[in-house]
């Protein structure tokens, strides 16, 4: 690569009918300045590109990080949702089991009361039958006593 100093120090051979040396030197000075400006601008642009590439890389890393965070949040939300659904199912099953236990206890208690009622009704029927028998036997005895008294009175 030709450097500005190379342009500035370039010496041309002199010929019989050559170019004017002052014009060539002025032109070379202008080219040197423009070339130095281009080199400086290229250097500056390369530095700017490097900075922008570094920023782009940081942005890509941030984007990747944000994507990972979003994915993690989605997964967490799914896990929380799944966990909540499982807990809800467990609570529902427990409530259903508790309800079944309560119903079975109530049915067993109702059956027990039915049996007690049947037993009481049976006892009441037996008591009524015995009481009727007792009353009948007492009535018969009373009637027998009345007859005995009547017979005694007639004798």
């Amino acid at each position: 690569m030709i450097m500005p100093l190379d342009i500035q120090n370039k010496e041309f051979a002199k010929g019989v009918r050559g170019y004017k040396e002052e014009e060539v030197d002025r032109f070379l000075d202008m080219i040197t300045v423009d070339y130095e400006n281009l080199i400086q601008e290229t250097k500056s642009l390369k530095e700017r590109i490097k900075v922008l590439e570094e920023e782009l890389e940081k942005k890509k890393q941030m984007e990747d990080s944000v994507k990972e965070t979003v994915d993690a949040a989605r997964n967490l939300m799914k896990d929380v949702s799944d966990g909540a659904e499982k807990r809800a199912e467990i609570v529902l099953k427990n409530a259903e089991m508790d309800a079944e236990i309560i119903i079975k206890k109530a049915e067993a208690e109702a059956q027990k009361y039915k049996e007690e009622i049947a037993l009481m009704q049976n006892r009441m029927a037996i008591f009524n039958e015995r009481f009727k028998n007792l009353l009948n036997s007492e009535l018969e005895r009373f009637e027998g006593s009345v007859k005995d008294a009547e017979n005694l009175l007639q004798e």
Side-chain angles (χ1 to χ4, degrees), residues 1-154:
M1 175 180 207
I2 297 176
M3 299 304 288
L5 193 55
D6 295 333
I7 295 171
Q8 193 67 35
N9 292 331
K10 178 67 177 165
E11 295 277 334
F12 294 96
K14 294 185 184 182
V16 175
R17 291 188 75 205
Y19 294 106
K20 290 184 180 177
E21 198 175 320
E22 290 177 13
E23 283 182 30
V24 170
D25 285 343
R26 272 196 309 257
F27 184 73
L28 288 175
D29 286 343
M30 285 180 3
I31 290 175
T32 301
V33 168
D34 284 346
Y35 195 68
E36 283 178 348
N37 288 338
L38 284 174
I39 289 173
Q40 189 61 34
E41 186 177 344
T42 301
K43 183 178 176 182
S44 174
L45 289 174
K46 284 182 179 179
E47 288 176 11
R48 179 72 178 141
I49 288 171
K50 183 179 178 182
V51 168
L52 290 174
E53 285 175 343
E54 289 172 356
E55 286 180 21
L56 179 63
E57 185 60 32
K58 286 180 186 177
K59 301 264 188 212
K60 284 181 182 178
Q61 289 174 354
M62 287 174 56
E63 181 182 7
D64 291 344
S65 177
V66 167
K67 284 181 181 177
E68 289 174 6
T69 303
V70 167
D71 288 342
R74 281 186 186 140
N75 290 337
L76 180 61
M77 285 174 43
K78 185 181 181 310
D79 291 346
V80 167
S81 177
D82 291 346
E85 286 178 15
K86 286 179 183 175
R87 282 190 293 264
E89 288 175 12
I90 290 170
V91 167
L92 183 61
K93 284 181 182 177
N94 285 341
E96 288 172 351
M97 288 185 344
D98 289 346
E100 284 181 34
I101 290 170
I102 290 170
I103 289 170
K104 285 183 181 179
K105 283 183 180 178
E107 288 173 348
E109 205 168 315
Q111 184 62 35
K112 179 180 154 191
Y113 287 137
K114 285 179 185 177
E115 290 171 3
E116 285 181 13
I117 289 170
L119 182 64
M120 290 290 216
Q121 287 173 338
N122 190 28
R123 284 183 181 171
M124 186 67 132
I126 292 171
F127 174 76
N128 284 340
E129 189 62 35
R130 284 184 182 169
F131 191 66
K132 281 182 191 177
N133 290 338
L134 176 68
L135 285 177
N136 284 334
S137 78
E138 287 298 315
L139 184 59
E140 285 174 9
R141 207 174 62 150
F142 179 72
E143 286 175 356
S145 293
V146 168
K147 280 185 185 179
D148 285 344
E150 283 178 359
N151 285 338
L152 280 176
L153 285 174
Q154 286 177 353

